[in-house]
Amino acid sequence: MAASTTIGKGELLDGRRVFYFDQRVICSFCMLENAPVKRRALRKTGTAMAWRMLSDLVVGVAQGQENRCFKDDNGRPWGEISGVRHSASISHSRDLIAVAVGVDPLV
């Protein structure tokens, strides 16, 4: 299956860019402002921000339904909406953070 090339219009939310890919995946990108200089502090700050961003995306997809974000036993992030898992991804390197969640549930 070829990668999606249809990208929805980006929105700017609190310094974050949000995009839709074929209305099936929503992702968000952010650069940390005033990022810590020390590597460990930067990693901790980036991880916390990534989970907040993922939570915001899952809340948006859930549209009022019961939802949560969690890690499975292998450390992989997931979004769960009304008991159904949605694929999720977190990536961060230095001060750049990217997160994504599948709009459609994992089948």
Side-chain angles (χ1 to χ4, degrees):
M1 178 179 219
S4 171
T5 56
T6 305
I7 300 174
K9 187 175 182 181
E11 307 168 35
L12 189 60
L13 300 174
D14 298 334
R16 297 179 245 169
R17 283 270 182 202
V18 178
F19 296 93
Y20 290 87
F21 292 85
D22 287 342
Q23 298 299 315
R24 297 182 58 134
V25 174
I26 184 172
C27 63
S28 179
F29 300 91
C30 177
M31 291 284 281
L32 289 175
E33 297 290 327
N34 303 318
V37 176
K38 296 196 178 207
R39 186 175 180 184
R40 182 171 286 175
L42 179 61
R43 182 85 176 160
K44 187 175 181 178
T45 300
T47 298
M49 180 63 158
W51 279 96
R52 280 194 301 271
M53 291 168 62
L54 182 61
S55 178
D56 289 347
L57 290 181
V58 170
V59 166
V61 171
Q63 297 179 355
Q65 299 176 60
E66 181 181 334
N67 63 80
R68 71 183 180 120
C69 293
F70 66 97
K71 287 185 204 179
D72 65 15
D73 293 338
N74 296 317
R76 182 175 177 193
W78 290 94
E80 187 174 82
I81 300 171
S82 296
V84 179
R85 284 187 177 187
H86 290 248
S87 296
S89 180
I90 292 175
S91 180
H92 52 95
S93 179
R94 295 189 184 100
D95 58 351
L96 179 62
I97 302 168
V99 298
V101 66
V103 173
D104 297 325
L106 188 64
V107 181

